[in-house]
Coordinates of all heavy atoms in Angstrom, one line a residue:
M37 N 77.8 94.3 61.8 CA 76.8 95.1 62.4 C 77.4 96.2 63.2 O 78.4 96.0 64.0 CB 76.0 94.2 63.5 CG 74.7 93.7 63.0 SD 73.9 92.8 64.4 CE 72.5 92.3 63.6
P38 N 76.9 97.4 63.0 CA 77.5 98.5 63.8 C 77.1 98.4 65.2 O 76.1 97.8 65.6 CB 76.7 99.7 63.2 CG 76.0 99.3 62.0 CD 75.8 97.8 62.1
S39 N 78.0 98.8 66.1 CA 77.7 98.7 67.5 C 77.6 100.1 68.1 O 78.2 101.1 67.6 CB 78.8 98.0 68.3 OG 80.0 98.7 68.3
I40 N 76.7 100.3 69.0 CA 76.5 101.6 69.7 C 76.7 101.4 71.2 O 76.3 100.4 71.8 CB 75.0 102.0 69.6 CG1 74.6 102.0 68.2 CG2 74.8 103.4 70.2 CD1 73.1 102.3 68.0
T41 N 77.5 102.3 71.8 CA 77.7 102.3 73.2 C 76.9 103.3 73.9 O 76.9 104.5 73.5 CB 79.2 102.4 73.6 OG1 79.9 101.3 72.9 CG2 79.5 102.4 75.0
F42 N 76.1 102.9 74.8 CA 75.3 103.8 75.7 C 75.9 104.0 77.0 O 76.3 103.0 77.6 CB 73.9 103.3 75.9 CG 73.1 103.2 74.5 CD1 73.1 102.0 73.8 CD2 72.3 104.2 74.2 CE1 72.4 101.9 72.6 CE2 71.5 104.1 73.0 CZ 71.6 102.9 72.2
I43 N 76.2 105.2 77.4 CA 76.8 105.4 78.7 C 75.8 106.0 79.6 O 75.2 107.1 79.4 CB 78.0 106.4 78.5 CG1 79.0 105.7 77.6 CG2 78.7 106.7 79.9 CD1 80.1 106.6 77.2
H44 N 75.6 105.3 80.8 CA 74.6 105.8 81.8 C 75.2 106.9 82.6 O 76.4 107.1 82.7 CB 74.2 104.6 82.7 CG 73.5 103.5 82.0 ND1 72.2 103.5 81.9 CD2 73.9 102.5 81.3 CE1 71.8 102.4 81.2 NE2 72.8 101.8 80.8
P45 N 74.3 107.7 83.3 CA 74.8 108.8 84.1 C 75.8 108.4 85.2 O 76.6 109.2 85.6 CB 73.5 109.4 84.7 CG 72.4 109.0 83.8 CD 72.9 107.7 83.2
D46 N 75.7 107.2 85.6 CA 76.6 106.7 86.7 C 77.9 106.2 86.1 O 78.8 105.6 86.8 CB 75.9 105.6 87.5 CG 75.6 104.4 86.8 OD1 75.9 104.3 85.6 OD2 75.0 103.4 87.3
G47 N 78.1 106.3 84.8 CA 79.4 105.9 84.1 C 79.4 104.5 83.6 O 80.2 104.1 82.8
R48 N 78.3 103.7 83.9 CA 78.2 102.4 83.4 C 77.9 102.4 81.9 O 77.3 103.3 81.4 CB 76.9 101.8 84.1 CG 76.7 100.3 84.0 CD 75.7 99.9 85.0 NE 74.5 100.8 85.1 CZ 73.4 100.7 84.5 NH1 73.2 99.7 83.7 NH2 72.4 101.6 84.7
S49 N 78.6 101.5 81.1 CA 78.3 101.6 79.7 C 77.9 100.2 79.2 O 78.2 99.2 79.8 CB 79.6 102.0 79.0 OG 80.6 100.9 79.0
E50 N 77.0 100.3 78.2 CA 76.5 99.0 77.6 C 76.6 99.2 76.1 O 76.3 100.3 75.5 CB 75.0 98.9 77.9 CG 74.7 98.7 79.4 CD 73.3 98.4 79.7 OE1 72.8 97.3 79.5 OE2 72.6 99.3 80.1
T51 N 77.1 98.2 75.5 CA 77.2 98.2 74.0 C 76.3 97.2 73.4 O 76.0 96.1 73.8 CB 78.7 97.8 73.6 OG1 79.6 98.8 74.2 CG2 78.9 97.9 72.1
A52 N 75.6 97.8 72.3 CA 74.6 96.9 71.6 C 74.9 96.8 70.1 O 75.3 97.9 69.5 CB 73.2 97.6 71.8
E53 N 74.7 95.7 69.6 CA 74.8 95.6 68.1 C 73.5 96.1 67.5 O 72.4 95.8 68.0 CB 75.0 94.1 67.7 CG 76.2 93.4 68.4 CD 77.5 94.0 67.8 OE1 77.6 94.2 66.7 OE2 78.3 94.3 68.7
A54 N 73.7 96.9 66.5 CA 72.5 97.5 65.8 C 72.3 97.0 64.4 O 73.3 96.8 63.7 CB 72.7 99.0 65.8
D55 N 71.0 96.9 64.0 CA 70.8 96.6 62.7 C 70.9 97.9 61.8 O 70.4 98.9 62.2 CB 69.3 96.0 62.5 CG 69.1 94.7 63.2 OD1 70.1 93.9 63.2 OD2 68.1 94.5 63.8
T56 N 71.6 97.8 60.7 CA 71.6 99.0 59.8 C 70.2 99.4 59.4 O 69.4 98.5 59.1 CB 72.5 98.6 58.6 OG1 73.8 98.2 59.0 CG2 72.6 99.8 57.7
G57 N 70.0 100.6 59.5 CA 68.6 101.1 59.2 C 67.7 101.3 60.4 O 66.7 102.0 60.3
A58 N 68.0 100.6 61.5 CA 67.3 100.8 62.7 C 67.7 102.1 63.4 O 68.7 102.7 63.0 CB 67.5 99.6 63.7
T59 N 66.9 102.5 64.3 CA 67.2 103.7 65.0 C 68.0 103.4 66.3 O 68.0 102.2 66.8 CB 66.0 104.6 65.4 OG1 65.3 103.9 66.3 CG2 65.2 105.0 64.2
A60 N 68.7 104.4 66.8 CA 69.4 104.1 68.0 C 68.4 103.8 69.1 O 68.7 103.0 70.0 CB 70.3 105.4 68.4
M61 N 67.3 104.5 69.1 CA 66.2 104.2 70.1 C 65.8 102.8 70.1 O 65.7 102.1 71.0 CB 65.1 105.2 69.8 CG 63.8 105.0 70.8 SD 62.8 103.7 70.2 CE 61.8 104.5 69.0
A62 N 65.4 102.3 68.9 CA 64.9 100.9 68.7 C 66.0 100.0 69.1 O 65.7 98.9 69.7 CB 64.5 100.7 67.3
T63 N 67.2 100.2 68.8 CA 68.3 99.3 69.2 C 68.4 99.2 70.7 O 68.5 98.1 71.3 CB 69.7 99.9 68.7 OG1 69.6 100.0 67.3 CG2 70.8 99.0 69.1
A64 N 68.3 100.4 71.5 CA 68.3 100.3 72.9 C 67.1 99.5 73.4 O 67.3 98.7 74.3 CB 68.3 101.7 73.5
L65 N 66.0 99.8 72.9 CA 64.8 99.0 73.4 C 64.8 97.5 73.1 O 64.5 96.7 74.0 CB 63.5 99.6 72.9 CG 63.1 101.0 73.2 CD1 61.7 101.4 72.8 CD2 63.3 101.3 74.7
T66 N 65.2 97.1 71.9 CA 65.2 95.7 71.6 C 66.3 95.0 72.3 O 66.2 93.8 72.5 CB 65.3 95.5 70.1 OG1 66.4 96.1 69.6 CG2 64.1 96.0 69.3
R67 N 67.3 95.7 72.7 CA 68.4 95.0 73.4 C 68.2 95.1 74.9 O 69.0 94.7 75.7 CB 69.7 95.6 73.1 CG 70.1 95.6 71.6 CD 70.3 94.2 71.1 NE 70.7 94.2 69.7 CZ 69.9 94.3 68.6 NH1 68.7 94.5 68.7 NH2 70.5 94.2 67.4
G68 N 67.1 95.7 75.3 CA 66.7 95.7 76.8 C 67.5 96.7 77.6 O 67.6 96.6 78.8
L69 N 68.1 97.7 76.9 CA 68.8 98.7 77.7 C 67.9 99.6 78.4 O 66.9 100.1 77.8 CB 69.7 99.5 76.7 CG 70.8 98.7 76.0 CD1 71.7 99.6 75.1 CD2 71.6 97.8 76.9
D70 N 68.2 100.0 79.6 CA 67.3 101.0 80.2 C 67.9 102.4 80.0 O 68.9 102.6 79.4 CB 67.2 100.7 81.8 CG 68.5 100.7 82.5 OD1 69.5 101.0 81.8 OD2 68.5 100.3 83.6
G71 N 67.0 103.4 80.3 CA 67.5 104.8 80.2 C 66.8 105.5 79.0 O 67.0 106.7 78.9
I72 N 66.1 104.7 78.2 CA 65.4 105.4 77.1 C 63.9 104.9 77.2 O 63.7 103.7 77.2 CB 66.0 105.0 75.7 CG1 67.4 105.8 75.6 CG2 65.1 105.4 74.6 CD1 68.1 105.6 74.3
L73 N 63.0 105.8 77.3 CA 61.6 105.4 77.5 C 60.9 105.3 76.1 O 60.1 104.3 75.9 CB 60.8 106.4 78.3 CG 61.3 106.5 79.7 CD1 60.5 107.5 80.6 CD2 61.3 105.1 80.5
A74 N 61.1 106.3 75.3 CA 60.5 106.2 73.9 C 59.0 106.1 74.0 O 58.4 105.2 73.3 CB 61.1 105.2 73.1
E75 N 58.3 106.9 74.8 CA 56.8 106.7 75.0 C 56.0 106.8 73.7 O 54.9 106.3 73.6 CB 56.4 107.8 76.0 CG 56.9 107.4 77.4 CD 56.5 108.5 78.4 OE1 56.2 109.6 78.1 OE2 56.6 108.2 79.7
C76 N 56.5 107.6 72.7 CA 55.7 107.7 71.5 C 56.0 106.7 70.5 O 55.5 106.7 69.4 CB 55.8 109.1 71.0 SG 57.4 109.4 70.1
G77 N 56.9 105.8 70.8 CA 57.3 104.7 69.8 C 58.1 105.2 68.6 O 58.1 104.5 67.6
G78 N 58.7 106.3 68.8 CA 59.6 106.8 67.7 C 59.0 107.7 66.7 O 59.5 107.9 65.6
N79 N 57.9 108.3 67.1 CA 57.2 109.2 66.2 C 57.5 110.6 66.4 O 56.7 111.5 65.9 CB 55.6 109.0 66.3 CG 55.2 107.6 65.8 OD1 55.6 107.3 64.7 ND2 54.5 106.9 66.5
A80 N 58.6 110.9 67.1 CA 59.0 112.3 67.3 C 58.0 113.1 67.9 O 57.6 114.2 67.5 CB 59.5 112.9 66.0
M81 N 57.4 112.6 69.0 CA 56.3 113.3 69.7 C 56.5 113.4 71.2 O 55.8 114.1 71.9 CB 55.0 112.7 69.4 CG 54.5 112.8 68.0 SD 53.1 111.8 67.7 CE 51.9 112.6 68.7
C82 N 57.5 112.7 71.8 CA 57.5 112.7 73.2 C 58.8 113.2 73.9 O 58.8 113.6 75.0 CB 57.4 111.2 73.7 SG 58.7 110.1 73.4
A83 N 59.9 113.1 73.2 CA 61.2 113.5 73.7 C 61.8 112.7 74.9 O 62.6 113.2 75.7 CB 61.3 115.1 74.0
T84 N 61.2 111.5 75.0 CA 61.7 110.6 76.1 C 62.7 109.7 75.6 O 63.0 108.6 76.2 CB 60.5 109.9 76.9 OG1 59.9 109.0 75.9 CG2 59.6 110.9 77.5
C85 N 63.3 109.9 74.5 CA 64.4 109.1 73.9 C 65.6 110.0 73.8 O 66.5 109.8 73.0 CB 64.0 108.5 72.6 SG 63.7 109.8 71.3
H86 N 65.7 111.0 74.6 CA 66.8 112.0 74.6 C 68.2 111.4 74.9 O 68.3 110.6 75.8 CB 66.4 113.1 75.7 CG 67.4 114.2 75.8 ND1 67.5 114.9 77.0 CD2 68.3 114.7 75.0 CE1 68.4 115.9 76.9 NE2 68.9 115.8 75.7
V87 N 69.1 111.8 74.1 CA 70.5 111.3 74.4 C 71.5 112.5 74.1 O 71.2 113.4 73.4 CB 71.0 110.1 73.5 CG1 70.2 108.9 73.8 CG2 70.8 110.4 72.0
Y88 N 72.7 112.4 74.7 CA 73.7 113.4 74.4 C 74.8 112.6 73.5 O 75.3 111.5 73.9 CB 74.4 113.8 75.7 CG 73.5 114.5 76.7 CD1 73.3 113.9 77.9 CD2 72.8 115.7 76.3 CE1 72.4 114.6 78.8 CE2 72.0 116.3 77.2 CZ 71.8 115.8 78.5 OH 70.9 116.4 79.4
V89 N 75.0 113.2 72.4 CA 75.9 112.5 71.4 C 77.4 112.9 71.8 O 77.7 114.1 72.0 CB 75.6 112.9 70.0 CG1 76.6 112.3 69.0 CG2 74.2 112.6 69.6
D90 N 78.3 111.9 71.9 CA 79.7 112.1 72.2 C 80.2 113.0 71.2 O 79.9 112.9 69.9 CB 80.4 110.8 72.2 CG 81.8 110.9 72.7 OD1 82.1 111.0 73.8 OD2 82.7 111.0 71.7
A91 N 81.1 113.9 71.6 CA 81.6 115.0 70.7 C 82.2 114.4 69.4 O 82.1 115.0 68.3 CB 82.6 115.9 71.4
A92 N 82.9 113.3 69.5 CA 83.6 112.7 68.4 C 82.6 112.3 67.3 O 83.0 112.1 66.1 CB 84.4 111.5 68.8
W93 N 81.3 112.2 67.6 CA 80.4 111.7 66.6 C 79.4 112.8 66.1 O 78.6 112.5 65.2 CB 79.6 110.5 67.3 CG 80.5 109.3 67.5 CD1 81.1 109.1 68.6 CD2 80.8 108.4 66.6 NE1 81.9 108.0 68.5 CE2 81.7 107.5 67.2 CE3 80.4 108.1 65.2 CZ2 82.3 106.4 66.6 CZ3 81.0 107.0 64.6 CH2 81.8 106.1 65.2
L94 N 79.5 113.9 66.7 CA 78.5 114.9 66.3 C 78.4 115.2 64.8 O 77.4 115.4 64.2 CB 78.7 116.2 67.1 CG 78.1 116.3 68.5 CD1 78.5 117.6 69.1 CD2 76.6 116.3 68.4
D95 N 79.6 115.4 64.3 CA 79.6 115.7 62.8 C 79.2 114.6 61.9 O 79.0 114.8 60.7 CB 81.1 116.2 62.5 CG 81.4 117.5 63.1 OD1 80.5 118.2 63.6 OD2 82.7 117.8 63.1
K96 N 79.2 113.4 62.4 CA 78.8 112.3 61.6 C 77.3 112.0 61.4 O 76.9 111.2 60.6 CB 79.5 111.0 62.1 CG 81.0 111.2 62.1 CD 81.7 109.9 62.5 CE 83.2 110.0 62.3 NZ 83.9 110.9 63.2
L97 N 76.6 112.8 62.3 CA 75.1 112.6 62.2 C 74.5 113.6 61.3 O 75.0 114.8 61.2 CB 74.5 112.8 63.6 CG 74.9 111.7 64.7 CD1 74.2 112.0 66.0 CD2 74.7 110.4 64.2
P98 N 73.4 113.3 60.6 CA 72.7 114.3 59.8 C 72.1 115.4 60.7 O 71.9 115.1 61.9 CB 71.6 113.5 59.1 CG 71.6 112.2 59.7 CD 72.8 112.0 60.6
P99 N 71.9 116.6 60.3 CA 71.4 117.6 61.1 C 70.0 117.3 61.6 O 69.3 116.5 61.1 CB 71.4 118.9 60.2 CG 71.5 118.4 58.8 CD 72.2 117.0 58.9
R100 N 69.6 118.0 62.7 CA 68.3 117.8 63.3 C 67.3 118.4 62.3 O 67.5 119.4 61.6 CB 68.1 118.6 64.5 CG 69.0 118.3 65.6 CD 68.7 119.2 66.8 NE 69.7 119.0 67.9 CZ 70.8 119.7 68.0 NH1 71.1 120.7 67.2 NH2 71.6 119.4 69.0
S101 N 66.1 117.8 62.2 CA 65.0 118.4 61.6 C 64.4 119.5 62.4 O 64.6 119.5 63.6 CB 63.9 117.3 61.3 OG 63.4 116.9 62.5
N102 N 63.6 120.3 61.9 CA 63.0 121.4 62.7 C 62.1 120.7 63.8 O 62.0 121.3 64.9 CB 62.1 122.3 61.8 CG 62.9 123.2 60.9 OD1 64.1 123.4 61.2 ND2 62.4 123.7 59.8
E103 N 61.4 119.7 63.4 CA 60.5 119.0 64.4 C 61.4 118.4 65.6 O 61.0 118.6 66.7 CB 59.9 117.8 63.6 CG 58.8 117.1 64.3 CD 58.2 116.0 63.4 OE1 59.0 115.4 62.6 OE2 57.0 115.8 63.5
E104 N 62.5 117.8 65.3 CA 63.4 117.3 66.4 C 63.9 118.5 67.2 O 63.9 118.4 68.4 CB 64.5 116.5 65.8 CG 65.5 116.0 66.9 CD 66.7 115.2 66.4 OE1 66.8 115.1 65.1 OE2 67.5 114.8 67.2
D105 N 64.3 119.5 66.5 CA 64.8 120.7 67.3 C 63.8 121.2 68.3 O 64.1 121.6 69.4 CB 65.2 121.7 66.2 CG 66.1 122.8 66.9 OD1 67.1 122.5 67.5 OD2 65.7 124.0 66.7
A106 N 62.5 121.4 67.8 CA 61.5 121.9 68.6 C 61.3 121.0 69.9 O 61.1 121.5 71.0 CB 60.2 122.1 67.8
L107 N 61.2 119.7 69.6 CA 60.9 118.8 70.7 C 62.0 118.7 71.7 O 61.8 118.5 72.9 CB 60.8 117.3 70.1 CG 59.4 116.8 69.8 CD1 59.5 115.5 69.2 CD2 58.6 116.7 71.1
L108 N 63.3 119.0 71.3 CA 64.4 118.9 72.2 C 64.3 120.1 73.3 O 64.9 120.0 74.3 CB 65.7 119.1 71.5 CG 66.1 117.7 70.8 CD1 67.3 118.0 69.8 CD2 66.6 116.7 71.9
D109 N 63.4 121.1 73.0 CA 63.2 122.1 73.9 C 62.3 121.6 75.1 O 62.2 122.3 76.1 CB 62.5 123.3 73.3 CG 63.5 124.1 72.5 OD1 64.7 124.0 72.7 OD2 63.1 124.8 71.5
G110 N 61.8 120.4 75.0 CA 60.9 119.9 76.0 C 61.4 118.7 76.7 O 60.7 117.9 77.4
T111 N 62.7 118.5 76.7 CA 63.3 117.3 77.4 C 63.3 117.5 78.9 O 63.4 118.6 79.3 CB 64.7 117.1 76.9 OG1 65.5 118.3 77.1 CG2 64.8 116.6 75.4
A112 N 63.2 116.4 79.6 CA 63.2 116.5 81.0 C 64.5 116.9 81.6 O 64.6 117.7 82.5 CB 62.7 115.1 81.6
A113 N 65.6 116.3 81.1 CA 66.9 116.7 81.5 C 67.3 117.9 80.6 O 66.8 118.0 79.5 CB 67.9 115.5 81.3
E114 N 68.2 118.6 81.1 CA 68.6 119.9 80.4 C 69.1 119.6 79.0 O 69.9 118.7 78.7 CB 69.7 120.5 81.2 CG 70.2 121.9 80.6 CD 71.4 122.5 81.3 OE1 71.8 121.8 82.3 OE2 71.8 123.5 80.9
R115 N 68.6 120.4 78.1 CA 69.1 120.3 76.7 C 70.5 120.9 76.6 O 70.8 121.9 77.2 CB 68.2 121.1 75.7 CG 68.6 121.1 74.3 CD 67.8 121.9 73.4 NE 68.2 121.8 72.0 CZ 67.5 122.2 71.0 NH1 66.3 122.6 71.1 NH2 68.1 122.1 69.7
Q116 N 71.4 120.1 75.8 CA 72.7 120.6 75.6 C 73.0 120.7 74.1 O 72.1 120.3 73.4 CB 73.7 119.5 76.1 CG 73.6 119.1 77.6 CD 74.2 120.1 78.5 OE1 74.9 121.0 78.1 NE2 73.9 119.9 79.8
P117 N 74.1 121.4 73.7 CA 74.3 121.5 72.3 C 74.4 120.2 71.5 O 74.1 120.1 70.4 CB 75.6 122.2 72.2 CG 75.8 123.0 73.5 CD 75.0 122.1 74.5
N118 N 74.7 119.1 72.3 CA 74.9 117.8 71.6 C 73.6 116.9 71.9 O 73.7 115.7 71.8 CB 76.1 117.0 72.1 CG 76.1 116.8 73.6 OD1 75.4 117.5 74.3 ND2 76.9 115.9 74.1
S119 N 72.5 117.5 72.3 CA 71.3 116.7 72.5 C 70.7 116.3 71.2 O 70.6 117.1 70.2 CB 70.3 117.6 73.3 OG 70.6 117.7 74.6
R120 N 70.2 115.1 71.2 CA 69.5 114.5 70.0 C 68.4 113.6 70.5 O 68.4 113.2 71.7 CB 70.4 113.7 69.1 CG 71.5 114.5 68.4 CD 71.0 115.5 67.4 NE 70.2 115.1 66.4 CZ 70.6 114.9 65.1 NH1 71.8 115.2 64.7 NH2 69.7 114.4 64.2
L121 N 67.4 113.4 69.7 CA 66.4 112.3 70.0 C 66.9 111.0 69.3 O 67.1 111.0 68.1 CB 65.1 112.7 69.4 CG 64.4 114.0 70.0 CD1 63.1 114.3 69.3 CD2 64.2 113.9 71.4
S122 N 67.0 110.0 70.1 CA 67.7 108.8 69.6 C 66.7 108.1 68.5 O 67.2 107.3 67.8 CB 68.0 107.8 70.7 OG 66.9 107.5 71.5
C123 N 65.4 108.4 68.6 CA 64.6 107.8 67.5 C 64.8 108.5 66.1 O 64.3 108.0 65.2 CB 63.1 107.9 67.9 SG 62.4 109.6 67.9
Q124 N 65.5 109.5 66.1 CA 65.8 110.2 64.9 C 67.2 110.0 64.4 O 67.7 110.5 63.4 CB 65.6 111.7 65.0 CG 64.2 112.1 65.5 CD 63.1 111.6 64.5 OE1 63.1 111.9 63.4 NE2 62.2 110.8 65.1
I125 N 67.9 109.0 65.0 CA 69.2 108.7 64.6 C 69.2 107.3 64.0 O 69.0 106.3 64.6 CB 70.2 108.6 65.8 CG1 70.3 110.0 66.5 CG2 71.6 108.2 65.4 CD1 71.1 110.0 67.8
K126 N 69.3 107.3 62.6 CA 69.3 106.0 61.9 C 70.7 105.5 61.8 O 71.6 106.2 61.5 CB 68.7 106.3 60.5 CG 67.3 106.3 60.4 CD 66.8 105.4 59.2 CE 65.3 105.1 59.2 NZ 64.5 106.3 58.8
I127 N 70.8 104.2 62.2 CA 72.2 103.6 62.2 C 72.6 103.2 60.8 O 71.9 102.5 60.1 CB 72.2 102.4 63.1 CG1 71.7 102.8 64.5 CG2 73.6 101.7 63.2 CD1 72.5 104.0 65.1
T128 N 73.8 103.7 60.5 CA 74.5 103.3 59.2 C 75.8 102.6 59.5 O 76.3 102.8 60.6 CB 74.7 104.6 58.3 OG1 75.6 105.4 59.1 CG2 73.4 105.3 58.0
P129 N 76.4 102.0 58.6 CA 77.7 101.3 58.9 C 78.8 102.4 59.3 O 79.6 102.1 60.1 CB 78.1 100.7 57.5 CG 76.8 100.5 56.8 CD 75.9 101.6 57.2
E130 N 78.6 103.6 58.8 CA 79.6 104.6 59.2 C 79.4 105.0 60.7 O 80.4 105.6 61.3 CB 79.4 105.9 58.4 CG 79.7 105.8 56.9 CD 78.6 104.9 56.2 OE1 77.5 105.0 56.5 OE2 79.1 104.2 55.3
L131 N 78.4 104.6 61.3 CA 78.1 105.0 62.7 C 78.7 103.9 63.7 O 78.3 103.9 64.9 CB 76.7 105.3 63.0 CG 76.2 106.6 62.3 CD1 74.7 106.9 62.7 CD2 77.0 107.8 62.7
D132 N 79.3 102.9 63.1 CA 79.9 101.8 64.0 C 80.8 102.4 65.0 O 81.7 103.2 64.7 CB 80.7 100.9 63.1 CG 81.2 99.7 64.0 OD1 80.6 99.3 64.9 OD2 82.3 99.2 63.6
G133 N 80.4 102.2 66.3 CA 81.2 102.7 67.4 C 80.6 104.0 68.0 O 81.1 104.5 69.0
L134 N 79.4 104.3 67.5 CA 78.7 105.5 68.0 C 78.6 105.5 69.6 O 78.3 104.4 70.2 CB 77.3 105.6 67.4 CG 76.4 106.8 67.9 CD1 77.0 108.1 67.4 CD2 75.0 106.6 67.3
M135 N 78.9 106.6 70.2 CA 78.8 106.7 71.7 C 77.7 107.7 72.1 O 77.8 108.9 71.7 CB 80.1 107.1 72.2 CG 80.3 106.7 73.6 SD 82.0 107.0 74.2 CE 82.8 105.7 73.4
L136 N 76.7 107.2 72.8 CA 75.6 108.1 73.2 C 75.5 108.1 74.7 O 75.5 107.0 75.4 CB 74.3 107.6 72.7 CG 74.2 107.5 71.1 CD1 72.9 106.8 70.7 CD2 74.3 108.9 70.5
R137 N 75.5 109.3 75.4 CA 75.3 109.4 76.8 C 73.9 109.6 77.2 O 73.1 110.3 76.5 CB 76.2 110.6 77.3 CG 77.6 110.4 77.1 CD 78.4 111.5 77.5 NE 79.8 111.3 76.9 CZ 80.8 110.5 77.4 NH1 80.5 109.9 78.5 NH2 81.9 110.3 76.8
L138 N 73.4 108.9 78.2 CA 72.0 109.0 78.6 C 71.8 110.0 79.7 O 72.7 110.2 80.5 CB 71.6 107.6 79.1 CG 71.6 106.5 78.1 CD1 71.6 105.1 78.8 CD2 70.5 106.6 77.1
P139 N 70.7 110.8 79.5 CA 70.5 111.8 80.6 C 70.1 111.2 81.9 O 69.8 110.0 81.9 CB 69.4 112.7 80.0 CG 68.7 111.7 79.0 CD 69.7 110.8 78.5
D140 N 70.0 111.9 83.0 CA 69.7 111.4 84.3 C 68.2 111.1 84.4 O 67.8 110.5 85.3 CB 70.2 112.2 85.4 CG 69.7 113.6 85.4 OD1 68.9 114.0 84.5 OD2 70.0 114.4 86.2
R141 N 67.4 111.7 83.5 CA 65.9 111.3 83.5 C 65.4 111.6 82.2 O 65.9 112.4 81.4 CB 65.3 112.1 84.6 CG 65.3 113.7 84.4 CD 64.8 114.4 85.6 NE 64.8 115.8 85.4 CZ 65.9 116.7 85.4 NH1 67.1 116.1 85.6 NH2 65.7 117.9 85.2
Q142 N 64.2 110.9 81.9 CA 63.5 111.2 80.6 C 62.1 111.8 80.8 O 61.5 112.2 79.9 CB 63.4 109.9 79.8 CG 64.7 109.2 79.4 CD 65.3 110.0 78.2 OE1 64.8 111.0 77.7 NE2 66.3 109.3 77.7
T143 N 61.7 111.8 82.1 CA 60.4 112.4 82.4 C 60.5 113.3 83.7 O 61.5 113.1 84.4 CB 59.3 111.4 82.7 OG1 59.7 110.5 83.8 CG2 59.0 110.6 81.4
Ligands
FES464 S1 60.6 108.1 70.9 FE1 59.3 109.8 71.2 S2 60.4 111.4 70.4 FE2 61.7 109.7 70.2

């Protein structure tokens, strides 16, 4: 099972085992991790599943869709070049070890 590490703004980190094919957002929610709200349930409508992808992993993710790109303009915390919506990150075996930083707020 691929594992994902979520790093909180205070530096605390939590690692979760992810099901292949699940999204990073769903992995966080089903493992009870805080810091991701996902108000729209993963339908790319809310931008409350915002994460910052660690630089080492940026090239391993598929590019953003136009829809994701537009939504990222409405995140509560500042958008950065490595901002993604975690509901749009599908976990594959190649993403084992993925590191995602959580913003200081989602709303
Ligand atoms: S959960 Fe709403 S945009 Fe990702």
Side-chain angles (χ1 to χ4, degrees):
M37 260 186 181
S39 70
I40 310 175
T41 298
F42 295 88
I43 301 171
H44 294 270
D46 62 4
R48 193 166 41 97
S49 71
E50 296 183 82
T51 300
E53 301 296 313
D55 294 324
T56 299
T59 65
M61 174 278 277
T63 301
L65 292 191
T66 56
R67 303 297 186 275
L69 301 182
D70 57 9
I72 290 182
L73 295 182
E75 287 176 345
C76 77
N79 291 311
M81 292 171 66
C82 71
T84 62
C85 63
H86 180 202
V87 292
Y88 301 117
V89 178
D90 185 81
W93 293 93
L94 273 178
D95 292 347
K96 299 185 172 67
L97 297 182
R100 301 177 185 95
S101 65
N102 291 340
E103 190 178 36
E104 180 182 358
D105 193 52
L107 263 177
L108 282 166
D109 286 337
T111 54
E114 186 185 358
R115 178 180 180 163
Q116 305 278 352
N118 59 341
S119 285
R120 296 294 303 256
L121 296 179
S122 58
C123 71
Q124 302 302 301
I125 300 174
K126 275 226 169 75
I127 302 305
T128 62
E130 294 72 35
L131 292 180
D132 182 32
L134 177 66
M135 203 174 282
L136 301 175
R137 296 177 194 281
L138 296 163
D140 59 2
R141 62 190 186 282
Q142 294 286 7
T143 58

